[in-house]
Amino acid sequence: MTKQQANWSPYDNNGGSCVAIAGADYCVIAADTRMSTGYNILTRDYSKITKLADKCVMASSGFQADVKALQKLLAARHLIYQHQHNKQMGCPAMAQLLSNTLYYKRFFPYYSFNVLGGLDNEGKGCVYTYDAVGSYERVGYSSQGSGSTLIMPFLDNQLKSPSPLLLPVQDAITPLSESEAVDLVKTVFASATERDIYTGDKLEIVVLNAEGIQREFMDLRKD
Amino acid sequence: MFRNQYDTDVTTWSPAGRLFQVEYAMEAVKQGSAAIGLRSKTHVILACVNKASSELSSHQKKIFKVDDHIGVAIAGLTADGRVLSRYMRNECINYNFTYESPLPVGRLVVQLADKAQVCTQRSWKRPYGVGLLVAGLDESGAHLYYNCPSGNYFEYQAFAIGSRSQAAKTYLERRFENFMGSSREDLIKDALISVRETLQGEKLKSSICTVAVVGVGEAFHILDQETVQQLIDSFELVREDEPPAPEAGDAVADQSEASAPVAEEGAAPMDI
């Protein structure tokens, strides 16, 4: 008697890659806009990036239905927070909330690979990276999604973030300027697009700094 | 109101067909400090008097933002009001989550009224001791509702609740026919005058009143104290029953126009 196998899966992977880089007083969050299923493209123009709070932006790849549900939940929780505290949630607070929300569904997870970017309470850039069930860490830069295996080693090479195992503890912050960080992101996605079939079409870049939020787009290879 | 033998339980009718506990709950609303609401086609203004229990303490919060398009002012047991505001906020958030659109204020007040009614028909509960003036926007424009502890609700052009609200209501009754076409600024001025009527002689200043606005294209927000004081200053000099309706936002003209602070019909001419 062989074990019963499921004849369908509640999950699907819509592909795509996300990246975030923290600077001294800015944060860059980027993701491609291709949404796929299997070997097909569903749309070339789908945003994986959402603003959760004034100083907090999230990019998520994976199963976009779960991503959408997660975004809606966090937005509702943020509203409640604002009613109770009369102010917006800061990035570290949102980071913890996201972790708790993901772990809440530990036994039927959100198939969502998230990267949270924003400004911390001192105005410095911060990036938090997650797995599907809420394990998270503050880092200087991170990538998630189908292209992350191609992107991450390159970011490691360029950004030389000190190991958290080393003592004395060093800041997880990138000494790049904002425009250098944006250029790096563009380069990294252009490279990932070459070899990852699920990454391409268009790149959406969001920059968070003291002036607010700016958004820009860049074309990527469509094949 | 005298003691009755049928007023112990909310679930006991009197021989005359009244529920005394519910009526007593409405009395609690009259004991609270005044709250006033008025609306035009496009805007709703809520104003309330801030009564602090002592000089040392801060005043209680009586106006709550429920959603971008809905706000509420309360009078009576403010603790009950706080709890109901939290309920309203939750309802708006849940509706928005499910339908990705704002909860129509008409639906919200019905839900509130049904919630209040439950407390009039359970022996282990008591009615909410708070009256709510709900200001909100929906597709058909601006609306003002009053929800009372009995579970009834009504839509109003303008209304006042709480202590000494009759003075405000008298003023509003005289002026309400013009409100539908009023500008935002005129509405706020009328609201402040209504608040002044309830103060019965006490000087109107921004520290004792709170004003909130919601309108088409304008999310619900409470005006800050400086703005309120400026608005008070721009009309306070005209100390008569029927201040001349000024041009919208023409604060400078008001101040120079009303140079003689005497209760007379028609302000002193602008003579420089």
Side-chain angles (χ1 to χ4, degrees), chain B residues 76-257:
Chain B
L77 261 55
T78 43
D80 283 1
R82 215 173 48 236
V83 156
L84 286 174
S85 303
R86 197 161 57 227
Y87 167 76
M88 293 165 80
R89 285 169 176 169
N90 264 332
E91 290 300 301
C92 285
I93 288 173
N94 289 335
Y95 186 95
N96 208 319
F97 186 94
T98 310
Y99 299 102
E100 298 250 345
S101 74
L103 173 58
V105 60
R107 298 256 187 101
L108 181 60
V109 293
V110 177
Q111 284 174 257
L112 249 183
D114 288 346
K115 197 168 160 69
Q117 191 280 338
V118 166
C119 297
T120 67
Q121 212 174 7
R122 305 281 184 272
S123 60
W124 62 90
K125 288 187 182 239
R126 64 156 178 83
Y128 288 106
V130 66
L132 302 114
L133 281 171
V134 183
L137 254 39
D138 67 19
E139 284 158 357
S140 56
H143 299 272
L144 174 69
Y145 294 92
Y146 172 54
N147 278 71
C148 61
S150 61
N152 279 328
Y153 70 97
F154 304 96
E155 187 168 357
Y156 284 93
Q157 192 67 43
F159 201 48
I161 56 177
S163 69
R164 297 192 287 224
S165 57
Q166 188 51 55
K169 271 191 265 194
T170 312
Y171 173 78
L172 292 169
E173 273 164 22
R174 272 210 307 273
R175 307 269 297 195
F176 79 93
E177 266 142 1
N178 301 324
F179 285 169
M180 245 350 204
S182 279
S183 72
R184 178 185 179 278
E185 282 65 36
D186 284 344
L187 266 190
I188 298 178
K189 286 201 170 78
D190 278 320
L192 286 169
I193 295 171
S194 310
V195 169
R196 194 188 63 188
E197 298 297 305
T198 68
L199 292 173
Q200 310 251 304
E202 201 184 328
K203 187 167 190 287
L204 173 67
K205 42 188 200 287
S206 63
S207 54
I208 53 165
C209 72
T210 309
V211 181
V213 187
V214 65
V216 174
E218 187 179 356
F220 183 91
H221 64 287
I222 297 176
L223 300 181
D224 64 271
Q225 298 293 75
E226 294 95 62
T227 315
V228 176
Q229 190 58 53
Q230 276 167 24
L231 290 159
I232 292 174
D233 292 336
S234 73
F235 84 80
E236 173 93 293
L237 299 171
V238 186
R239 280 213 143 272
E240 65 229 23
D241 284 346
E242 270 180 65
E247 297 306 305
D250 213 353
V252 176
D254 283 351
Q255 278 180 301
S256 44
E257 202 179 344

Side-chain angles (χ1 to χ4, degrees), chain A residues 68-69 72-73 76-77 79-80 83-84 86, chain B residues 61 65-67 86 89-90 93 97-98 100:
Chain A
K68 185 64 139 207
K72 287 178 73 159
L73 223 175
R77 288 299 302 271
L79 248 187
I80 295 173
H83 281 143
Q84 290 176 344
N86 242 352
Chain B
K61 198 165 161 193
K65 175 168 174 168
V66 167
D67 204 343
R86 197 161 57 227
R89 285 169 176 169
N90 264 332
I93 288 173
F97 186 94
T98 310
E100 298 250 345

Side-chain angles (χ1 to χ4, degrees), chain B residues 50-65:
Chain B
N50 302 332
K51 212 197 297 174
S53 52
S54 84
E55 270 184 40
L56 298 169
S57 77
S58 63
H59 61 80
Q60 284 184 311
K61 198 165 161 193
K62 282 161 58 75
I63 298 189
F64 298 91
K65 175 168 174 168

Side-chain angles (χ1 to χ4, degrees), chain A residues 141 151-161 184:
Chain A
Y141 62 93
I151 295 172
M152 204 57 178
F154 186 65
L155 290 179
D156 285 334
N157 176 274
Q158 294 295 305
L159 299 177
K160 288 191 195 137
S161 193
L184 175 59

Side-chain angles (χ1 to χ4, degrees), chain A residues 13-35:
Chain A
N13 192 345
N14 300 121
S17 315
C18 307
V19 161
I21 300 178
D25 60 349
Y26 67 88
C27 188
V28 178
I29 301 99
D32 70 321
T33 63
R34 172 177 288 178
M35 185 168 164

